Amino acid sequence: MRNSLHCIFCREPLQGRESWEHILLNAFGGKAKTKTLSCATCNNQLGGTIDRELAEQFTLVRNLFEMVSGDGRDAPSLYKVQAGNRKINLLGNGRVTLAGRPFTVEELGGGQFRVAINVQSLDELGRVDKPDPASDCCELHEPEEAGRELVVAGRHAA
């Protein structure tokens, strides 16, 4: 019995030219596949163009709904997203992290400086390595808490 199936795109017979095609894109959680829709040439061409573009356009939606791909990978992460006056990373597993360094250093002149450490909780602050007040590197003043930003002012001991 002869295979009478044809590629739905180029209409050529599939016999010997079949290719596994996701029924729903892998990026959208699709696991089911078929070999009765498209030939290898059309499947590869579509996968590298239309399918990729469609998946990229839904990156934000996939991230917000934490849509795992058909092969079990986390949703795509979004990096350096502007959120108020800060940039954050929206990870595919639902976690949110600050983008960039968790601290800033400002030279105040006269050998003085200000270090602002950005943390999301006091527990996280406890895990940040801080200079030893007994060391020769600097004198630490009492920290001021400003929201979730801990400010440590110091003077370089020359």
Side-chain angles (χ1 to χ4, degrees), residues 44-106:
N44 290 338
Q45 188 175 22
L46 288 170
T49 56
I50 296 170
D51 288 356
R52 184 181 66 231
E53 183 66 30
L54 184 61
E56 286 175 8
Q57 289 184 19
F58 276 86
T59 298
L60 178 61
V61 172
R62 287 190 57 216
N63 179 278
L64 292 175
F65 289 106
E66 298 177 33
M67 291 175 64
V68 175
S69 68
D71 57 12
R73 287 179 288 162
D74 283 342
S77 297
L78 302 173
Y79 298 99
K80 297 183 179 178
V81 176
Q82 193 68 41
N85 62 350
R86 297 186 182 199
K87 290 193 177 190
I88 60 172
N89 299 320
L90 301 170
L91 305 182
N93 61 7
R95 292 191 56 231
V96 177
T97 62
L98 290 172
R101 293 184 175 145
F103 63 90
T104 57
V105 179
E106 176 186 3

Side-chain angles (χ1 to χ4, degrees), residues 4-5 10 12 28 42 44 54 63 66 71-72 83 113 116 154:
S4 62
L5 295 174
C10 69
E12 293 292 321
F28 298 153
C42 291
N44 290 338
L54 184 61
N63 179 278
E66 298 177 33
D71 57 12
F113 60 91

